[in-house]
Each structure stands twice: as C-alpha cells, then as structure tokens.
C-alpha cells in the first residue's frame, strides 16, 4: 500500500539531487574547520538570512539549545511562549544542561506574544529574581498552526529587547515557510533578531541538519557550545551537501505545500464530524478537530493509518496534518477521500 504520511514535514526523504550531492561531497574534518562543503553551506546560510556567520548543527533542538546556551548563563532567564517548541518539545534542555530558567507568557493564536506581556515578564534588578537575558520567538509557529510572524511584529519585539538590554533569538525551524507565506525576503524576518536557527530538514527536505546564524562573535561562541553538547561533527559535508541543495532548490517549491495544505483544510471543513479554522491555515500545517464524541482523535488516526493515511493526533480531539516535499495534490485528494470514507463509516 502506498502510504500518505502527513504526520510531519520531518518525514521527507532527500531529493535525487541531494543524494547525488551527498555522493560527490568534498569532505574534511569540520572540527578543524576543514570541511569545504560545510564551510560553503555555512557561508550560504549566513548570506541567505543576512547574518555575518553560521554554524551547522545536528537538529532544530540543538540549534535552539546551543543558541540559548550562547546568550545565557546559569541562573539567567529566557522569556518564551507557553506553546513554544523550545518550551514544550525540547526535553527541557536549556534548564537541564544550561541551568536557564524558562519564563513563559501566553502565545496568542497567531503565534505572537503580546509585547506588553513580554515587557511585564522582564525581571527588575532584584536579588530575588533570575536575570532576564533573552526573548525567544518562533516563526512559523508550530503549535499555533504554522502561523507566520510578520517583519513588523518581529521588529517591535526586537525594539523592546534593545531598549531593555536583552537579546532576541528566533526559532526559525520553518522560517522559509514564513517568508513564502508572507511573500517577503527571509532577511526581513531575520534582520532584527540577534540569532536565528533554521532547519534544513522539514520544509527544505534535507535528511539532517539545522543552521544557527548570527554575528561572528556569537557564532564563534556557539561553536564552542556545540562542542560542549557533543555536536562537533567530523566529515559533516555529507550532511551539508544535501543542505546546500536544500537552500538552492527547495525554497521556491514551498508554495506548493502551502497550496496543498489549503486544499486539504478546505475539504476537511466540509467533512461531517470534523472542524477546522480556515483562517488559521497560513502555511503547511493544518490542525483540525473531531467534533463528535467518538472516535477520539487517536482512534481516528489509527483507523486512518490502517487505510494508508498517517495523521498525527495531538490532543484528545485534535489532529495535525502537515504537507511537504513528496506530497502531491493527487496525494491530498486521496488523503481526503480516505478521511471522508473513514469519518462516514464511524
Ligand atoms: C518550531 C520548531 N522548532 C524546533 C524543532 C526541532 O527540530 P528537530 O526535530 O530537528 O530537533 C521543531 C521540530 O518539529 C519545530 O517544529
């Protein structure tokens, strides 16, 4: 059975061009700074997002961890959304390894944090409190349905950070999805942040890797912190080669994923027993709800899997579908017919 997997854009397989590039990659020891393919990827990534330097890391999780460790010391505090990936899904790494205290403020449904909430969360200089050092934003926002934060909003938060002597980090795992959805150059979304980490996997479909970008000094310190967490890789050009192809060939096609997500969501809205907020479908992530008592989301996901459609259950009544490279408009139509069939039968 040909399975359609919409659980996540992390399930993408490398393109033929990536496999070819991996095969022919020129390699060296990257911990000595001698892997030409890694060096090329890092230069390309920095230029692409308008920063001085970049650092290849294993994953989005490591990108955020190393960035936060570089901005903060033990006992410092970060302000981030209560639905932030870093807060919920990164195993508490910043606290576990960095002794860095998370201070959450509510994420709004559009992925933003209210500027007044951030301001209120900044600690006064008082011996009782941790020291606030960093604000973290996420763009696009995973748990907020792939919402894209605008350049104007990012600039507003950056203005606050600057006024209060704080740094601003952007979890840009899907920053190119945001740029495509907003029809802006990605630099507009990264211009005002001190650091950004973005994924070469996910929307860009490389098999492994994320990149941290920032000033030369920041990246030099991040390189040391990457070593501390065991993330120094040797002939990492094997990974970087696919990352270069990802940056060269995978950004413009993201629109297709967004179109497919929209097509999927529109049809889900018409299936009895399901509901979706179409106004929230901006990029490649669609959250939708089961409105009947039974089956719950998990049962429905199991039934769908047995019919060849994988969708993630993310709560008692909530499901998530993510479009990505390798999923065509025809796959979406087939997915919808399986979904409609299964919902009709229950
Ligand atoms: C917004 C966001 N940040 C970070 C990550 C972590 O990336 P990784 O799975 O590569 O560690 C993810 C993963 O889905 C994500 O959605």
């Amino acid at each position: 059975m040909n399975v359609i997997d919409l659980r996540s854009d992390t399930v993408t397989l490398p393109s033929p061009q990536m496999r070819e590039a991996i095969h022919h990659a020129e390699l060296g020891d990257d911990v000595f700074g001698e892997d030409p393919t890694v060096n090329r990827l890092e230069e390309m990534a920095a230029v692409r997002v308008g920063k001085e330097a970049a650092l290849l890391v294993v994953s989005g999780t490591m990108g955020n961890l190393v960035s936060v460790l570089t901005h903060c010391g033990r006992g410092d505090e970060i302000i981030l959304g209560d639905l932030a990936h870093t807060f919920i899904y990164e195993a508490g790494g910043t606290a576990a390894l960095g002794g860095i205290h998370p201070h959450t403020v509510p994420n709004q449904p559009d992925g933003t944090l209210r500027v007044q909430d951030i301001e209120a969360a900044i600690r006064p200089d008082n011996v009782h409190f941790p020291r606030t050092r960093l604000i973290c934003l996420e763009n696009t926002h995973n748990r907020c349905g792939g919402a894209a934060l605008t350049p104007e909003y990012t600039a507003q938060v950056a203005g606050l950070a600057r006024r209060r002597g704080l740094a601003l980090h952007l979890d840009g795992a899907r920053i190119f999805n945001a740029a495509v959805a907003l029809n802006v150059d990605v630099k507009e979304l990264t211009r005002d942040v001190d650091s950004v980490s973005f994924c070469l996997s996910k929307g860009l479909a490389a098999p492994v890797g994320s990149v941290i970008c920032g000033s030369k000094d920041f990246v030099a310190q991040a390189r040391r912190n990457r070593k501390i967490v065991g993330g120094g890789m040797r002939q990492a050009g094997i990974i970087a080669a696919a990352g270069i192809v990802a940056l060269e060939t995978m950004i413009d096609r993201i629109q297709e994923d967004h179109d497919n997500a929209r097509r999927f969501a529109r049809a889900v809205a018409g299936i009895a027993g399901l509901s979706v907020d179409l106004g929230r479908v901006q990029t490649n992530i669609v959250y939708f709800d089961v409105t009947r008592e039974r089956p719950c989301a998990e049962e429905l996901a199991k039934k769908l899997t047995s019919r060849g459609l994988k969708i993630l259950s993310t709560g008692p009544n909530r499901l998530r579908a993510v479009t990505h490279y390798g999923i065509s408009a025809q796959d979406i139509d087939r997915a919808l017919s399986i979904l409609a069939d299964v919902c009709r039968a229950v």
Side-chain angles (χ1 to χ4, degrees), residues 130-147:
R131 274 204 188 99
T132 310
R133 287 275 186 223
L134 178 69
I135 302 168
C136 299
L137 296 176
E138 185 175 313
N139 196 7
T140 64
H141 201 289
N142 182 340
R143 278 287 298 265
C144 295

Side-chain angles (χ1 to χ4, degrees), residues 59-61 64 85 90 138 142 171 173-174 199 202:
S59 64
T61 300
N64 289 328
H85 194 278
E90 294 175 14
E138 185 175 313
N142 182 340
D171 174 354
R174 297 183 181 81
C199 292
K202 307 194 174 63

